[in-house]
Amino acid sequence: MMEKDCNTLIDIGFKENRFIYQFKNIKISTTEPPSRLFEKYGYDKSELKKAPIILDVKSKILGLIQRF
């Protein structure tokens, strides 16, 4: 399925036991979970915990705490 010309994943939804993948140029509805659909592209749910924005916020909070 991913061999279709999919351009930039925007959102993933779940409705009526189906995942809905919204790309810039196409919308795909399937029963395949993201971990299986994107496994050959390096999808790893544990990477969500390492998001850059979260690390940035964490460092700012720790910086504020260290000041006091």
Side-chain angles (χ1 to χ4, degrees), residues 10-39:
I10 297 173
D11 193 21
I12 300 174
F14 188 75
K15 186 176 183 180
E16 299 173 3
N17 295 325
R18 295 184 69 79
F19 288 94
I20 302 163
Y21 300 93
Q22 179 67 52
F23 294 89
K24 273 186 174 181
N25 61 338
I26 193 170
K27 187 175 187 177
I28 299 172
S29 177
T30 181
T31 56
E32 293 293 328
S35 57
R36 180 133 184 229
L37 193 65
F38 297 109
E39 68 185 346

